[in-house]
């Protein structure tokens, strides 16, 4: 089935109508968090400043690609991928694929800086692992920065 989409005009200014609120920010974090009764507290306040402040959209564009080489041997997985959080990566992969973290061997000889893709496992790495499992041989995936 071919993808379907609806074309919309570009929004390039800060005064271009409704603000975009994504369904989530990061992994599992809501886009908006509200605590307490703001309107009630403002109504009781001795002084109030009513102003609207906006910032332009910010886009995370990694300076390095997300990449992985994955190989399965039964329920044991060996991967080569840059990572700053090896234990977090093991836990995420274990949860996604239903295997014990001890059965996941991650080789990451180049830790370096976190210029966009070494903090958490993301889509390209997960797809590379899945592809290797589906075809029954080592697989690789990468995404351009």
């Amino acid at each position: 089935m071919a993808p379907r989409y609806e074309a919309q005009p570009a929004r390039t200014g800060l005064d271009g109508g409704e603000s975009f609120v994504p369904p989530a920010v990061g992994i599992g974090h809501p886009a908006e968090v509200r605590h307490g009764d703001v309107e009630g507290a403002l109504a009781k306040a001795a002084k109030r400043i009513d102003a609207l402040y906006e910032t332009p959209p910010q886009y995370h564009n990694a300076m390095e690609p997300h990449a992985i080489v994955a190989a399965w041997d039964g329920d044991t997985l060996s991967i080569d991928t840059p990572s700053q959080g090896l234990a977090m990566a093991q836990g995420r992969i274990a949860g996604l694929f239903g295997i014990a973290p001890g059965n996941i061997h991650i080789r990451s000889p180049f830790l370096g800086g976190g210029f966009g893709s070494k903090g958490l496992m993301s889509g390209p790495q997960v797809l590379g692992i899945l592809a290797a499992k589906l075809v029954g041989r080592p697989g690789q995936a990468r995404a351009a920065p």
Side-chain angles (χ1 to χ4, degrees), residues 3 9 27 32-33 36 55 59 77 88 90 101 111-112 115 118 121 126-127 132 136 138:
I27 299 173
E32 293 183 313
V33 177
T55 57
Y59 300 98
L77 173 64
M88 286 190 308
Q90 277 182 318
L111 291 179
F115 299 105
K118 292 181 184 169
M121 297 297 288
V126 174
L127 290 174

Side-chain angles (χ1 to χ4, degrees), residues 28-129:
H29 300 290
E32 293 183 313
V33 177
R34 297 176 186 263
H35 298 284
D37 180 11
V38 174
E39 293 304 321
L42 286 172
K44 295 177 190 174
K47 296 188 182 210
R48 176 179 174 162
I49 298 174
D50 194 358
L52 175 65
Y53 300 93
E54 291 189 31
T55 57
Q58 298 177 17
Y59 300 98
H60 178 74
N61 292 309
M63 293 172 59
E64 60 190 358
H66 298 269
I68 192 167
V69 175
W72 289 88
D73 183 11
D75 65 347
T76 300
L77 173 64
S78 296
I79 63 174
D80 293 278
T81 190
S83 176
Q84 290 179 316
L86 299 175
M88 286 190 308
Q90 277 182 318
R92 174 127 169 94
I93 295 166
L96 289 171
F97 291 93
I99 60 175
N103 288 2
I104 302 167
H105 177 70
I106 303 174
R107 290 180 293 263
S108 184
F110 305 107
L111 291 179
F115 299 105
S117 65
K118 292 181 184 169
L120 299 171
M121 297 297 288
S122 63
Q125 287 106 328
V126 174
L127 290 174
I129 294 167

